[in-house]
Amino acid sequence: KSTQNQDGQPVGNSSESGNSLASVPENEALDPDSSLLPFKKTPVATQACMLASVIDRWFCGNPQLDACCAYHLATRSLLNLARSMARKDCVRSFTFSCGGQCPHCLA
């Protein structure tokens, strides 16, 4: 079942609402009630730094054959994975880490 966010945009299962990962603005919270959480939103720069530390451990193929460089090969793999994950049904048991938040980088 799809619902609407505070701006009236459909949210929910991407196959039902027609949303894709690319259609979610990077500065918009996915949960309209996120302001009620005790944490601040993690900045995009921090998210990028954390993802870079993950994808630099992936072997995604030969960059000389499959892309212009290893970085863009890994980011393409990340995008494909994120799109695949976004198409899956909602995971109601998913929660954000509740162990605390760094006051400096907000991770």
Side-chain angles (χ1 to χ4, degrees):
K1 178 180 177 184
S2 85
T3 58
Q4 292 182 340
N5 68 12
Q6 60 196 13
D7 298 321
Q9 298 297 318
V11 295
N13 185 319
S14 61
S15 63
E16 293 173 355
S17 65
N19 286 347
S20 70
L21 184 65
S23 68
V24 178
E26 65 183 45
N27 62 349
E28 179 179 308
L30 295 177
D31 178 4
D33 295 329
S34 65
S35 62
L36 303 176
L37 297 174
F39 303 114
K40 294 180 180 176
K41 186 173 178 191
T42 303
V44 171
T46 300
Q47 294 175 38
C49 184
M50 294 173 77
L51 281 174
S53 72
V54 171
I55 65 172
D56 74 352
R57 291 167 175 80
W58 295 356
F59 179 76
C60 304
N62 184 340
Q64 294 177 340
L65 300 175
D66 300 325
C68 59
C69 65
Y71 174 78
H72 284 115
L73 185 59
T75 57
R76 184 181 338 138
S77 181
L78 175 63
L79 282 170
N80 290 336
L81 176 60
R83 285 185 187 111
S84 175
M85 292 173 72
R87 285 191 296 267
K88 297 194 179 298
D89 290 337
C90 291
V91 179
R92 302 284 182 212
S93 62
F94 180 87
T95 59
F96 295 106
S97 174
C98 57
Q101 185 175 45
C102 174
H104 303 290
C105 70
L106 301 178

